[in-house]
Amino acid sequence: MLKLVPRETDRSQDYESMDKPATKETLLAQIAGGDQAAFGALYDEISPRVFRLIRRLLVDHAQSEEVTQEVFLEIWQNASRYEPSKGGASTWILTMAHRRAVDRIRSSQSGRDRDVKIGIRDFVSDYDNVADTVETTIEHERVKEAMSQLTELQRQAVTLAYYGGYSHSEVAAMLSVPIGTVKTRLRDGMIRLRDELGVAS
């Protein structure tokens, strides 16, 4: 597990005493060079937002802490892969956190699915219960397929707003885009989903 070490004032820059705080983009560039003080400064600045995002998705506090640690380990190991031309540092980090949380959900769901399959195999349920399970599975697959038809930008906005529970203004801040752009992506995404699912508006 990655552990922060005390900052050495004679070798590392004191980020807290700077007249102008370093941007997250600058900190990532310094972390890419192995700067532990920069990593500490970035952690202090953005870890509460990362944890809140993950907690909203996972709910479980302990799992949220674990995934947050995984995110910052990934930042430490892969800071050199950040490309400023493709978006802000906050968006890069929060997208990484969202992906990690979703991966954990999928992993947990896979385990539950295995348990359900074993349970169904070992327990002879009545026809109605089996029918309900099949119907739910089919509906889940339909939604998953419909989501895959959205553009990446629409899917990102819909996921954050409807699965992550974020407000339009929070989504706009996380994606570093105007709130009007978020509303447009959500509107277009929901129209596309209704069309794909054959739901009357």
Side-chain angles (χ1 to χ4, degrees), residues 171-184:
V171 174
M174 291 172 65
L175 299 179
S176 301
V177 297
I179 191 168
T181 301
V182 168
K183 289 181 178 179
T184 299

Side-chain angles (χ1 to χ4, degrees), residues 8-195:
E8 300 178 12
T9 55
D10 59 333
R11 294 170 57 188
S12 302
Q13 191 173 9
D14 185 359
Y15 293 95
E16 296 177 359
S17 65
M18 293 171 60
D19 292 336
K20 185 177 180 181
T23 65
K24 297 181 192 71
E25 289 75 14
T26 300
L27 293 173
L28 280 174
Q30 293 165 340
I31 292 168
D35 190 329
Q36 292 184 358
F39 181 80
L42 182 70
Y43 181 89
D44 292 343
E45 184 171 348
I46 201 168
S47 62
R49 288 182 67 191
V50 170
F51 179 77
R52 281 197 304 272
L53 169 61
I54 293 170
R55 180 72 188 274
R56 281 192 176 190
L57 294 171
L58 297 183
V59 180
D60 182 82
H61 188 87
Q63 283 200 54
S64 299
E65 287 182 336
E66 288 177 14
V67 174
T68 299
Q69 288 181 356
E70 291 173 4
V71 169
F72 280 94
L73 178 59
E74 186 173 352
I75 291 170
W76 175 254
Q77 294 173 334
N78 297 307
S80 60
R81 295 184 181 178
Y82 168 64
E83 298 180 36
S85 62
K86 294 187 176 179
S90 292
T91 300
W92 185 72
I93 292 168
L94 292 173
T95 299
M96 183 188 303
H98 184 269
R99 187 186 69 243
R100 284 269 180 181
V102 170
D103 286 347
R104 179 62 67 93
I105 290 170
R106 287 175 177 162
S107 176
S108 298
Q109 184 62 47
S110 295
R112 286 193 294 270
D113 289 347
R114 282 194 301 272
D115 292 343
V116 168
K117 287 178 182 177
I118 292 171
I120 290 173
R121 184 193 66 199
D122 294 343
F123 179 78
V124 179
S125 60
D126 61 41
Y127 173 81
D128 289 339
N129 285 342
V130 174
D132 289 344
T133 301
V134 170
E135 185 176 343
T136 300
T137 301
I138 291 172
E139 189 62 27
H140 174 75
E141 290 302 320
R142 287 185 66 220
V143 172
K144 183 178 176 182
E145 175 62 25
M147 285 288 286
S148 72
Q149 300 304 310
L150 303 183
T151 67
E152 179 60 30
L153 297 177
Q154 290 170 348
R155 187 163 48 252
Q156 194 175 44
V158 169
T159 299
L160 289 173
Y162 294 100
Y163 291 100
Y166 288 96
S167 67
H168 291 174
S169 57
E170 288 175 320
V171 174
M174 291 172 65
L175 299 179
S176 301
V177 297
I179 191 168
T181 301
V182 168
K183 289 181 178 179
T184 299
R185 291 177 186 174
L186 286 172
R187 184 196 66 222
D188 294 345
M190 294 309 294
I191 290 172
R192 184 72 180 272
L193 281 176
R194 281 199 300 266
D195 291 344

